[in-house]
Amino acid sequence: MKNSLFLLVLASGLAVAQAPSGYYNSANGLSGASLKTALSNIITNGHQDKGYNGLWTGYKTTDIDKNYENDGSILDIYSEKPSGTDPYKFTPVTNQCGTYSVEGNCYNREHLVPQSLFNESSPMVSDIHFIRATDGKVNGMRSNYPFGKVGTASFTSKNGSKLGTSASSGYSGTVFEPIDEFKGDVARMIFYFVTRYQSRLSTFSSGNMLGSSAYPGLQTWELNVLLAWHNQDPVSQAEINRNNASYSFQGNRNPFIDNPNYVSQIWGSGSTSGTGTTTPPSSTGCANETFETIPTASSASYLTRTWTNNGISWTATDARTDQTISSKAITVRDGSLASGSSANGIGSLTVTTQLKFTGSNGTFNVKVNGNTVGTVPYNSNTTTTTINNINISGNVAITLENNSTSDRVAIDNLSWTCYSGTSRQTQNLYPAATDLNQNSLQISNNPVSGNEIFVKGKTESIRKAEIYNLQGKLIQTIDQPFKNTRNSIRIKNPGQGIYLLKLDDVTLKFIVK
């Protein structure tokens, strides 16, 4: 049984594990996709693949119970009862699977990201940071299902872990839900996986959990679940111990245990208090097209070219594919480059251009959803241009149109940041509520249950309420939200997760369980 008071003290005093001095220096000052990439490089360097059978050796130091019973048995997240007697115990090595028919027969190797999603390939198949020693029977019941909140359970393990139909917003299939004690553990191990292997995600199957692009790396519904679990279950001393032991065994670390704030810095801020002063995330990386996957057939001919990369479809008209800038580039003559629709808006856009062959200096018109938001120049030199403060939320489609009918212009390294605030086309529709301040409003029923948010404070002058998820997507707008009631807002059921409630110029956080 865990000494709860002891761990409560540790929660504030030992929130950061013992990473070597300077281990994360190259990630300093970064956020969003850039931070995720920097962390990926850090934890890839030094990673030693000890092989699939090597996990058995690793578990003798990484998965030993030193924080609950502290009896040297295997710490199994699917059977551990933090405030009671465990239903069974596993002796390291002696109780390795083996075969099993019921709980308690033996422990085996549980890939929290199923190995079928990456075709059992190395080094993923033997990466101890997301492969736990767990009961064989429960592991088998969990199978390849994603993690989520269970509505109706079809199986419940002896410590309360559940398999059943999803009650998580955005997904209606079968999910597996660990007990509250280990939800944050699971979330941080999956965050590790999609960071360590972000460059390979496009080659993996999704399993209804992984994304196909480096950022954000997870499907939206799964990301919402894991963000909520990360915030509800902070890093424990058991996780810190395991991270240190895994570093000794494998040579790399889980950055989200060393620094839990990396989660909010990459995927969005979150808090269990519900009353923090943050605005909806607006500056994380959203798209990054390097043109490395463009088609090459008839490369010198000007044709319509189409491809898909990182979940975004692209079409270039009157275009050739044999020219380069930093590497591959798409070259447009009397045509345009256009993306398909992409979620999470656009804040700023950056692109590199170069005039090829002969011609004159010129510009491309940059359009978002058909509306011109700026221009990009080109000349015979390699030129990188950023258009700031585009600030359009929701789904966006980007188009670059050549203003010349004959200049042949190569385009490379096109990227834009996400944007989740009020779009610049609509941001001045309502005057600011100048008589409100952050401390005058508070959500009183936090976490929120049901479909009603109760707000304390001066609400009668509020003109609009907006609800965002942590990816910056606007999911509900309510005009004059307190017209019929002074202290509550009826919301559409957004599902489990952390959300932002924006009341004119005041933003509050709330949790839906």
Side-chain angles (χ1 to χ4, degrees), residues 6-7 9-20 24 61-64 66-68 75 129 132 181-182 184-185 188-189 233-248 252-260:
F6 174 67
L7 286 184
V9 173
L10 285 174
S12 60
L14 288 175
V16 179
Q18 293 89 21
Y24 294 110
T61 56
T62 62
D63 287 49
I64 301 301
K66 297 180 179 179
N67 302 93
Y68 297 88
L75 175 52
H129 278 294
R132 295 293 300 247
E181 180 75 10
F182 300 113
D185 305 50
R188 287 178 282 274
M189 286 186 281
D233 174 31
V235 171
S236 66
Q237 186 62 40
E239 285 180 89
I240 293 173
N241 292 345
R242 190 178 195 275
N243 195 25
N244 291 333
S246 297
Y247 177 64
S248 297
N252 67 342
R253 305 184 66 83
N254 184 331
F256 306 106
I257 296 173
D258 286 335
N259 186 350

Side-chain angles (χ1 to χ4, degrees), residues 450-453 467 476 478 481 485 488-492:
N451 297 329
E452 194 166 15
I453 301 175
I467 297 174
Q476 188 177 355
I478 307 169
T485 176
S488 67
I489 300 175
R490 297 290 298 179
I491 61 174
K492 299 174 183 177

Side-chain angles (χ1 to χ4, degrees), residues 281-493:
S282 60
S283 61
T284 55
C286 220
N288 183 21
E289 179 54 51
T290 62
F291 301 95
E292 292 303 303
T293 63
I294 58 176
T296 57
S298 302
S299 59
S301 300
Y302 291 91
L303 303 169
T304 296
R305 314 285 183 169
T306 61
W307 70 96
T308 299
N309 187 33
N310 290 332
I312 299 176
S313 61
W314 294 91
T315 300
T317 59
D318 200 36
R320 61 192 290 173
T321 61
D322 62 330
Q323 299 300 299
T324 62
I325 297 183
S326 60
S327 185
K328 289 185 179 180
I330 191 75
T331 301
V332 175
R333 186 176 57 181
D334 183 16
S336 64
L337 170 67
S339 76
S341 181
S342 173
N344 301 319
I346 179 172
S348 61
L349 177 144
T350 300
V351 64
T352 299
T353 57
Q354 185 181 26
L355 175 67
K356 297 292 184 179
F357 312 109
T358 60
S360 304
N361 298 350
T363 60
F364 276 74
N365 288 332
V366 178
K367 295 184 176 181
V368 178
N369 297 339
N371 299 311
T372 300
V373 296
T375 60
V376 170
Y378 61 81
N379 54 61
S380 58
N381 298 318
T382 298
T383 303
T384 299
T385 304
T386 297
I387 302 175
N388 291 308
N389 300 315
I390 299 173
N391 298 350
I392 296 175
S393 60
N395 293 333
V396 293
I398 315 299
T399 303
L400 275 65
E401 292 181 344
N402 195 351
N403 283 318
S404 167
T405 59
S406 58
D407 288 342
R408 292 152 291 185
V409 182
I411 301 171
D412 198 3
N413 296 327
L414 170 60
S415 64
W416 64 85
T417 62
C418 300
Y419 182 76
S420 60
T422 303
S423 294
R424 66 178 185 174
Q425 297 100 319
T426 60
Q427 60 187 1
N428 295 319
L429 288 180
Y430 299 100
T434 56
D435 59 336
L436 293 176
N437 60 73
Q438 186 71 46
N439 295 325
S440 68
L441 296 173
Q442 183 177 356
I443 297 174
S444 58
N445 61 326
N446 205 355
V448 172
S449 60
N451 297 329
E452 194 166 15
I453 301 175
F454 291 92
V455 180
K456 291 180 180 179
K458 189 176 180 181
T459 60
E460 59 270 20
S461 63
I462 293 175
R463 292 175 171 85
K464 182 167 64 171
E466 296 174 315
I467 297 174
Y468 294 85
N469 65 21
L470 285 188
Q471 288 68 57
K473 181 180 180 181
L474 178 64
I475 60 176
Q476 188 177 355
T477 299
I478 307 169
D479 291 324
Q480 295 183 303
F482 299 100
K483 179 179 180 180
N484 299 317
T485 176
R486 293 287 296 274
N487 67 344
S488 67
I489 300 175
R490 297 290 298 179
I491 61 174
K492 299 174 183 177
N493 185 11

